[in-house]
Amino acid sequence: MINYTTVKAVIFDLDGVLVDTAIYHFQAWHRLAEDLGYSFSIVDNEQLKGVSRIESLELILKWAGVEKSEAEKADLLVLKNQWYLELIEQLNPDHLLSGSLELLKKLQEKGIKIGLGSASKNAMGILEKTGIIPYFDALIDGNVVQLSKPNPEVFLKGAEVLEIAPAHCLVLEDAQAGIDAARAAGMQVIGIGLEEHLKGADLVVADLGTLVDKF
């Protein structure tokens, strides 16, 4: 169970927690995989959640049984990101997931620090389009960390910037890699989604709305 009384900072993952961008990642990866001759499924996509872009590509190439040079991989990553950026152009505040804005407001009112801990290199653009940048005290994304989840770097760096000890940080995640990273960082962690996909979380809830009254 979560000890809410010790929480001084909450660090949010982005995709699938605050904003529903997961479907756009799936559509872009699906298109790329199809071009490589591989039938990419929702089950495959679950394995990419919380994983860096290059590691995701390496997995798809492995599944497809395709080898590419480093230059070709770089081109494929640019192509996937281009398709993804085209898809998220439509994002606006209406795309915030249920309870996201309410929880951000409540945490800010209570003086609890708020951080972002995301593997996405497009995080700033997404936060701008959805209008929630002003709520954050620290923004740690794929542009400022070297190691992807389940390595705890993104969360430890967030705690450092927020100036809050890891033991007093609560992570909100929708991916197994993120749950594992939070545990490795010594933080409490709540999974957002289905319990079978989020092993090791202190608590699993359907959406952020269920947490508003906890603070």
Side-chain angles (χ1 to χ4, degrees), residues 18-20 90-98 101 129-131:
L18 288 166
V19 187
D20 190 12
Q90 61 190 291
L91 282 180
N92 60 60
D94 290 336
H95 288 90
L96 288 170
L97 286 168
S98 176
L101 189 57
K129 288 177 184 298
T130 52

Side-chain angles (χ1 to χ4, degrees), residues 130-180:
T130 52
I132 56 175
I133 281 184
Y135 292 98
F136 288 88
D137 300 296
L139 296 169
I140 310 300
D141 63 12
N143 294 297
V144 296
V145 292
Q146 301 298 316
L147 303 169
S148 61
K149 304 168 188 175
N151 187 285
E153 181 189 14
V154 67
F155 295 135
L156 291 174
K157 199 172 283 283
E160 181 183 350
V161 174
L162 291 168
E163 299 183 327
I164 300 293
H168 295 295
C169 293
L170 170 64
V171 171
L172 303 180
E173 262 287 354
D174 76 322
Q176 187 62 55
I179 300 292
D180 295 341

Side-chain angles (χ1 to χ4, degrees), residues 45-61:
N45 194 57
E46 281 295 324
Q47 297 183 60
L48 305 188
K49 284 187 175 180
V51 177
S52 71
R53 200 182 302 167
I54 181 61
E55 289 174 321
S56 295
L57 176 61
E58 294 286 4
L59 280 172
I60 290 174
L61 290 173

Side-chain angles (χ1 to χ4, degrees), residues 60-81:
I60 290 174
L61 290 173
K62 177 183 174 183
W63 296 332
V66 173
E67 292 188 7
K68 294 288 184 181
S69 67
E70 293 305 310
E72 289 172 325
K73 289 177 187 177
D75 289 341
L76 288 173
L77 290 173
V78 169
L79 189 59
K80 183 270 174 178
N81 196 51

